[in-house]
């Protein structure tokens, strides 16, 4: 058993007969009344995100998890296939278990949280950023811009990302996986 002071991003807990991963949290100490923790919980079985508030000192049932490095192999529809980089065992996960499946490139290494009790995969932790090649974008038009003008671009995984006007097809860009936003152009 853990308490609300142990809450952190990525912690897996048992709540309402399901296992949830904490996506966001905020400790709040109002001027009046007791402190509490406002959280966003994502179900590892359904992918549904709920908001919940725990009062300070509330006991939570945490789930013991192990983190393993897996390599993304391929997907067939909504099923994604991964291989353990240490023992080469393969597992499959549904698309709902992934936070940003459209930014996942074949051969990319990810961390997968596995329940210690029954060895069931719980969720996938993507790297903070990925480098992808732009496969399609409209040419940028000079002028008519104030500041920070962007245009849509399609990257090699099929995801759509808003990029600055100077990005062209064939450029490699760094994309933040948490928000799916452009970070910078990669020069080679």
């Amino acid at each position: 058993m853990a308490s609300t002071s142990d809450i952190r991003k990525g912690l897996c807990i048992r709540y309402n007969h399901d296992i949830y991963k904490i996506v966001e949290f905020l400790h709040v100490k109002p001027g009046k009344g007791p402190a509490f923790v406002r959280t966003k919980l994502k179900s590892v079985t359904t992918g549904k995100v709920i908001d919940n508030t725990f009062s300070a000192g509330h006991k939570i049932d945490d789930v013991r998890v192990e983190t393993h490095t897996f390599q993304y192999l391929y997907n067939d529809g909504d099923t994604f296939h991964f291989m353990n980089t240490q023992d080469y065992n393969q597992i499959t996960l549904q698309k709902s278990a992934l936070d940003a499946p459209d930014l996942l490139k074949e051969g990319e290494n990810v961390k997968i949280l596995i329940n210690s009790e029954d060895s069931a995969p719980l969720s996938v932790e993507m790297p903070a950023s990925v480098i992808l090649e732009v496969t399609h974008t409209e040419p940028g038009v000079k002028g008519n811009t104030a500041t920070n003008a962007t245009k849509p671009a399609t990257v090699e995984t099929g995801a759509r990302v808003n990029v600055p006007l100077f990005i062209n097809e064939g450029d490699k860009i760094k994309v933040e996986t948490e928000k799916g936003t452009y970070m910078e152009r990669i020069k080679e």
Side-chain angles (χ1 to χ4, degrees):
M1 284 296 232
S3 72
T4 53
S5 61
D6 300 319
I7 288 179
R8 66 188 182 285
K9 188 174 178 181
L11 178 71
C12 292
I13 63 171
R14 253 185 201 70
Y15 178 73
N16 280 356
H17 311 293
D18 197 2
I19 297 177
Y20 287 89
K21 179 180 170 185
I22 295 176
V23 180
E24 289 179 18
F25 72 96
L26 177 67
H27 288 276
V28 181
K29 288 177 89 172
K32 247 189 210 177
F36 57 91
V37 180
R38 193 174 289 135
T39 61
K40 256 191 185 152
L41 306 171
K42 180 178 181 181
S43 170
V44 296
T45 54
T46 63
K48 184 178 177 185
V49 177
I50 62 169
D51 291 320
N52 190 46
T53 303
F54 295 103
S55 58
H58 182 82
K59 296 290 182 206
I60 53 175
D61 189 10
D62 59 333
V63 178
R64 276 185 40 92
V65 294
E66 297 172 357
T67 305
H68 295 283
T69 303
F70 281 77
Q71 184 179 33
Y72 169 59
L73 299 175
Y74 64 95
N75 72 320
D76 48 2
D78 284 348
T79 307
F80 286 70
H81 299 265
F82 296 89
M83 177 184 67
N84 191 325
T85 57
Q86 289 164 342
D87 61 10
Y88 306 110
N89 287 336
Q90 292 187 18
I91 62 169
T92 58
L93 290 172
Q94 291 304 311
K95 189 175 186 174
S96 63
L98 286 90
D99 292 331
D102 53 341
L103 295 175
L104 202 52
K105 185 167 72 168
E106 291 181 4
E108 191 81 39
N109 284 342
V110 296
K111 302 265 188 225
I112 297 185
L113 300 176
I114 297 178
N115 190 342
S116 300
E117 297 167 10
D118 58 4
S119 298
L122 297 176
S123 73
V124 177
E125 287 183 3
M126 297 274 293
S129 62
V130 290
I131 296 171
L132 300 169
E133 185 176 334
V134 176
T135 57
H136 175 73
T137 187
E138 298 296 324
V141 179
K142 288 195 175 193
N144 298 350
T145 59
T147 55
N148 296 338
T150 60
K151 62 182 179 180
T154 306
V155 293
E156 61 186 294
T157 59
R160 293 182 61 81
V161 178
N162 282 333
V163 297
L165 295 178
F166 59 82
I167 299 292
N168 298 312
E169 289 182 15
D171 287 351
K172 292 196 183 289
I173 60 172
K174 187 186 267 190
V175 179
E176 183 184 10
T177 55
E178 190 173 326
K179 296 178 185 142
T181 56
Y182 167 87
M183 290 174 72
E184 63 182 339
R185 177 167 56 177
I186 303 297
K187 301 241 184 195
E188 293 184 348

